[in-house]
């Protein structure tokens, strides 16, 4: 499609306002962006002419002449793609980033980027056909990997062997003929929180992503902070001890080697081996294996060994968070990705460590909460990623 977008900062602000707050009358838009009536009419006129904004029906009357509501045009359609350790999720959204339809399929990401992205494109094609969606306005992509943002490519990703340096952004942009941006999943989930989650009310927040890999998305002054080489928030491989457990990155004693889902399962199996947990032994009977969900269920059922190993991981996470919240001074910490049953125990212990060990200036009124978003958060975040780019002034 031809590249359309705002022509100046006022048009960009109007588009983002309509994206985030929904349909508005001209009067409300003028009040919100502080433009004169004449200027507002001119800028809205340009956005309508470009097919980015349209009339949505009559607004509630304030007396006098009835005005009409404006909204992001129906032809504006974004897609979010979230690659996971073992699946790919694809969604189409409207211009307000509401998910219109989504698909998830298991994929073996270790086969490399080409077959995985081909699956994602296939799913996206099916969704577009079902909904009758033509050219896409833009596509955002979340990868479970460190991503060189400017290059749009993953960098030495332990979870995606064979993907190092592959130009995911350029490959998808060439296939789809629209703008594409790629980022790591912790950053994209932070954007999802900013769009529809608890983070919406905060200009400065930390999003701590747990699960197979651990990362942190950092929103400062309302903007995602990536740092000089897009390595900000890559806390999973901070080394806590030189002689700690082996990590997927090849080093020893990384935060992830203590606190990831795999680490919890490893410790749970050790507890079974040492005869410390009848509940975990029962869950692993027959297969000799456990999942992180098993650990969560045993903890919720009151198993002391399962609770202790979750608390132990949470204590280490808490100590790292103490450093982060004192350095960054966020308005809130949002924790996502914890397996069901694991989250509440982990949260209680993390809070206890952070509040006990931090000076009151940084944590006096700091809420630490679990994310309340469902598993579409990464796709909404990916759509937000690309819409921030498309709805930006040139
Ligand atoms: Zn590591």
């Amino acid at each position: 499609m031809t590249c359309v977008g705002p022509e100046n900062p006022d048009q960009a602000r109007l588009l983002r306002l309509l994206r985030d707050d929904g349909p508005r009358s001209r009067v409300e838009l003028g009040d919100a962006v502080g433009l004169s009536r004449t200027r507002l009419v001119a800028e809205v006129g340009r956005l309508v002419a470009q097919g980015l904004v349209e009339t949505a029906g009559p607004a509630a009357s304030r007396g006098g002449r009835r005005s009409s509501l404006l909204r992001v045009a129906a032809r504006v359609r974004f897609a979010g793609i979230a690659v996971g350790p073992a699946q790919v999720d694809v969604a189409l959204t409207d211009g307000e980033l509401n998910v219109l339809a989504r698909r998830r399929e298991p994929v073996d990401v270790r086969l490399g980027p080409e077959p995985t992205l081909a699956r994602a494109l296939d799913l996206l094609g099916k969704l577009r056909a079902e909904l009758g969606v033509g050219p896409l306005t833009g596509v955002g992509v979340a990868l479970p990997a460190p991503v060189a943002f400017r290059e749009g490519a993953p960098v030495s990703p332990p979870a995606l062997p064979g993907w190092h340096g592959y130009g995911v952004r350029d490959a998808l942009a060439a296939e789809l003929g629209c703008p594409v941006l790629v980022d790591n999943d912790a950053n994209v989930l932070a954007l999802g929180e900013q769009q529809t989650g608890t983070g919406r009310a905060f200009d400065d927040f930390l999003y701590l992503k747990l699960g197979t890999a651990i990362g942190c998305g950092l929103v400062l002054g309302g903007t995602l902070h990536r740092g000089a080489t897009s390595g900000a928030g890559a806390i999973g491989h901070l080394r806590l001890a030189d002689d700690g457990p082996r990590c997927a990155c090849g080093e020893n004693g990384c935060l992830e080697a203590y606190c990831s889902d795999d680490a919890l399962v490893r410790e749970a199996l050790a507890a079974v081996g040492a005869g410390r947990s009848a509940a975990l032994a029962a869950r692993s009977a027959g297969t000799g294996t456990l999942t992180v969900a098993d650990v969560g269920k045993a903890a919720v059922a009151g198993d002391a060994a399962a609770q202790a190993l979750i608390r132990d991981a949470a204590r280490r996470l808490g100590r790292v968070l103490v450093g982060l919240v004192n350095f960054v001074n966020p308005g809130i910490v949002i924790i996502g990705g914890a397996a069901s049953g694991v989250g509440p125990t982990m949260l209680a212990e993390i809070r206890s460590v952070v509040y006990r060990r931090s000076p009151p200036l940084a944590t006096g009124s700091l809420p630490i909460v679990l994310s309340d978003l469902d598993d579409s958060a990464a796709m909404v975040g990916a759509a937000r990623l690309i819409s921030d780019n498309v709805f930006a002034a040139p």
Side-chain angles (χ1 to χ4, degrees):
M1 71 184 280
T2 51
C3 264
V4 293
E7 298 159 328
N8 59 48
D10 287 329
Q11 291 182 15
R13 283 163 66 212
L14 290 167
L15 277 170
R16 290 181 187 212
L17 202 76
L18 292 171
R19 176 193 69 183
D20 298 337
D21 295 348
R24 287 286 179 274
S25 70
R26 283 184 173 77
V27 174
E28 289 169 322
L29 281 177
D31 291 348
V33 298
L35 288 180
S36 73
R37 171 86 186 157
T38 320
R39 186 71 196 284
L40 180 81
V41 167
E43 300 301 357
V44 166
R46 289 294 306 149
L47 290 171
V48 171
Q50 288 198 79
L52 290 166
V53 166
E54 66 191 14
T55 304
S61 175
R62 282 195 192 175
R65 203 159 61 89
R66 285 170 69 85
S67 72
S68 52
L69 284 176
L70 296 163
R71 69 177 174 211
V72 180
R75 66 183 280 274
V76 173
R77 291 287 183 261
F78 296 106
I81 299 174
V83 177
Q87 82 280 340
V88 63
D89 275 290
V90 172
L92 282 178
T93 81
D94 61 16
E96 294 168 17
L97 311 191
N98 301 300
V99 171
L100 302 173
R102 57 174 288 191
R103 288 273 183 100
R104 163 180 285 195
E105 268 193 18
V107 292
D108 186 355
V109 294
R110 292 166 305 176
L111 294 176
E114 276 115 354
T116 305
L117 297 178
R119 272 322 287 139
L121 285 169
D122 186 42
L123 292 175
L124 193 51
K126 284 180 178 154
L127 287 182
R128 286 169 68 185
E130 281 168 20
L131 270 65
V133 168
L136 292 169
T137 313
V139 177
V141 183
L143 296 181
V147 171
F149 186 69
R150 245 171 267 156
E151 287 75 26
V155 179
S156 306
L160 299 177
W163 289 59
H164 172 69
Y166 186 84
V168 173
R169 179 194 61 205
D170 294 347
L172 289 175
E175 282 292 332
L176 293 164
C178 70
V180 176
L181 283 179
V182 182
D183 209 338
N184 81 72
D185 50 8
N187 281 350
V188 169
L189 285 161
L191 291 173
E193 290 290 339
Q194 194 181 25
Q195 185 65 29
T196 55
T198 315
R200 201 174 149 88
F202 294 85
D203 280 339
D204 303 284
F205 70 90
L206 287 181
Y207 175 82
L208 176 62
K209 185 199 138 313
L210 305 178
T212 312
I214 294 173
C216 186
L218 178 55
V219 171
L220 296 176
T223 305
L224 185 72
H225 178 78
R226 293 190 178 84
T229 56
S230 49
I235 61 170
H237 303 282
L238 289 177
R239 193 177 302 188
L240 306 188
D242 289 339
D243 56 353
R246 190 84 174 155
C247 180
C249 74
E251 300 290 342
N252 289 80
C254 299
L255 178 64
E256 220 166 275
Y258 287 104
C259 306
S260 68
D261 286 355
D262 285 352
L264 290 175
V265 167
R266 182 195 67 222
E267 293 303 311
L269 288 169
V272 171
R276 283 186 276 120
S277 169
L280 289 169
R283 288 184 178 276
S284 68
T287 63
T289 60
L290 286 168
T291 64
V292 71
D294 289 326
V295 180
K297 283 177 193 154
V300 169
D303 182 67
Q307 290 173 349
L309 68 90
I310 294 171
R311 275 201 302 272
D312 187 54
R315 232 174 345 261
R316 292 176 204 273
L317 282 166
R319 287 183 197 138
V320 169
L321 262 185
V322 167
L324 300 180
V325 300
N326 278 282
F327 192 68
V328 169
N329 191 199
I332 190 169
V333 175
I334 305 166
I335 300 172
S340 94
V342 170
T345 306
M346 212 161 228
L347 179 66
E349 189 69 21
I350 287 174
R351 280 178 172 160
S352 144
V353 172
V354 173
Y355 295 145
R356 203 171 57 234
R357 290 193 173 215
S358 305
L361 187 60
T363 55
S365 60
L366 175 71
I368 304 175
V369 302
L370 293 177
S371 169
D372 56 9
L373 296 182
D374 64 19
D375 64 357
S376 65
M379 284 164 284
V380 172
R384 163 93 184 208
L385 170 71
I386 191 62
S387 73
D388 272 349
N389 181 265
V390 172
F391 290 171

